[in-house]
Amino acid sequence: MLPTSSTAPGKIILFGEHAVVYGQPAIAVPVTHVRAEARIEPTRGGDSARILAPGVGLDTRVEDLPLSHPLSVALRGTLSACGITEPLSDIPPFTLTIHSTIPVAGGMGSGAAVSVAVIRAFSTFLNHPLPDEQVNALAYEVEKLHHGTPSGIDNTVITYARPVYFVRGHPIETFTVPTPFTIVIADTGVPSSTAITVGNVRKGWQADPDRFNPWFERVGEVVRAARHAIESGAPLTLGPLMDENHALLQQMGVSSPELDRLVDAARGAGALGAKLSGGGGGGNMIALVEAECAEKVVEALRNAGAVRTIATEIYSSQSQIALL
Ligand code: PMV
């Protein structure tokens, strides 16, 4: 068995988070200059498989991981998707090393990116590289461990590494971005649990569906309008749609004072629109900017407490340029 490695990008949701769990569309794009990498090397003389993830202080034998651990599920799932019936302990020993520059618990898909990179690297190591469809399905199984009822948007956009228009349970639609546009991503520095915010929205919806359903439906309209704006080459008209999407997320109760402060700061510095992105409660927000304004918006976001900012150009291809 030969050494293998695989990388997967981060992602950011442009429109439609939370409502997507209830059947509405959402738009997400890969963010390719933050990445997770999985490298697998056969261990000469070793007697068992090891996993090293120095970034999170993990150094363990695979068999010591609980069966429900995401990495265990990813590895065992890959084995069975490759049609290998032996248990993991019978595979010649290897060392899996994971590195990631994707912020953890920030809504940039770090968990899904690690899963995709591990599944690809391990299936290649087993001489049975899996097609994207199977990688995506396996990564979705792992996502379920991170948050009970994931829509599947994270694993999909990260597996295919292209802008995705996502409707739960529907075939994947990637789409083109004829006119590139610039967004700034800023991190509140407040760790957020998607499982908690998704659970809170569910409780709110169960308690009062007549209040939540119209919000979800309006988000769906915003997402469709956003896709049209992007595809027709008018991305700068996305600003007001971002603002409206943020207001709807505030009503659902998933924004936070820190997110609102960054959203206001971006708008105040000339962003065309801004919203929280992902699970909310903390994590990231995004702002649409004209490229020449990016620096000013980044500065305003830092002054308003952002712990990390990424300015990135969104376009169809898999490669993006880190601007600032
Ligand atoms: O926090 P993130 O970026 O992983 O996104 C969660 C998106 C939600 O719509 C809130 C949940 C989901 O599973 O789609």
Side-chain angles (χ1 to χ4, degrees):
M1 284 169 165
L2 296 172
T4 59
S5 73
S6 181
T7 74
K11 73 101 208 352
I12 200 88
I13 295 182
L14 292 186
F15 290 96
E17 49 278 270
H18 286 290
V20 70
V21 176
Y22 300 83
Q24 299 297 333
I27 293 173
V29 292
V31 178
T32 53
H33 45 272
V34 285
R35 305 192 73 88
E37 185 197 24
R39 178 182 296 276
I40 303 189
E41 281 158 339
T43 324
R44 313 235 177 273
D47 61 354
S48 69
R50 285 201 87 73
I51 305 185
L52 307 175
V56 293
L58 184 73
D59 177 351
T60 180
R61 297 189 323 159
V62 172
E63 64 230 53
D64 293 340
L65 280 180
L67 285 181
S68 60
H69 189 283
L71 290 171
S72 178
V73 173
L75 291 171
R76 285 170 217 279
T78 304
L79 208 57
S80 107
C82 292
I84 297 171
T85 47
E86 291 116 285
L88 205 46
S89 50
D90 287 2
I91 301 298
F94 61 87
T95 303
L96 162 63
T97 309
I98 299 165
H99 289 287
S100 176
T101 54
I102 306 170
V104 176
M108 293 191 71
S110 68
V114 167
S115 300
V116 167
V118 166
I119 293 162
R120 284 214 177 105
F122 192 43
S123 63
T124 307
F125 182 72
L126 297 167
N127 278 324
H128 197 303
L130 293 172
D132 284 348
E133 209 180 324
Q134 268 181 297
V135 172
N136 194 28
L138 271 176
Y140 180 66
E141 290 307 308
V142 183
E143 280 294 279
K144 284 190 194 160
L145 305 168
H146 289 296
H147 46 102
T149 55
S151 60
I153 191 168
D154 278 25
N155 45 283
T156 302
V157 67
I158 287 167
T159 299
Y160 293 91
R162 304 189 67 84
V164 160
Y165 180 85
F166 180 90
V167 182
R168 193 173 188 164
H170 285 233
I172 292 126
E173 283 181 63
T174 57
F175 65 97
T176 52
V177 181
T179 307
F181 56 98
T182 305
I183 60 165
V184 177
I185 305 167
D187 190 345
T188 58
V190 179
S192 65
S193 155
T194 298
I196 291 176
T197 56
V198 168
N200 288 344
V201 172
R202 184 165 297 278
K203 274 184 226 145
W205 172 71
Q206 278 164 345
D208 197 350
D210 292 344
R211 242 155 67 87
F212 278 70
N213 285 336
W215 293 335
F216 296 152
E217 276 154 31
R218 183 61 200 147
V219 170
E221 284 163 22
V222 166
V223 176
R224 284 185 283 275
R227 178 178 178 172
H228 179 73
I230 296 171
E231 284 188 315
S232 59
L236 297 187
T237 62
L238 291 174
L241 294 170
M242 279 193 180
D243 291 343
E244 185 175 356
N245 199 161
H246 186 68
L248 288 158
L249 289 160
Q250 283 176 315
Q251 286 176 293
M252 291 175 211
V254 295
S255 193
S256 71
E258 294 84 0
L259 282 164
D260 289 343
R261 189 161 62 236
L262 295 188
V263 164
D264 289 344
R267 291 177 187 153
L272 302 169
K275 64 182 277 293
L276 72 85
S277 172
N284 285 294
M285 55 75 66
I286 55 173
L288 176 74
V289 298
E290 285 173 294
E292 54 277 15
C293 256
E295 204 165 338
K296 195 169 159 225
V297 172
V298 163
E299 198 187 313
L301 286 165
R302 290 201 180 137
N303 290 338
V307 297
R308 186 179 35 78
T309 51
I310 297 172
T312 187
E313 196 169 48
I314 304 297
Y315 51 96
S316 304
S317 105
Q318 296 193 12
S319 53
Q320 293 165 343
I321 306 160
L323 297 175
L324 292 168

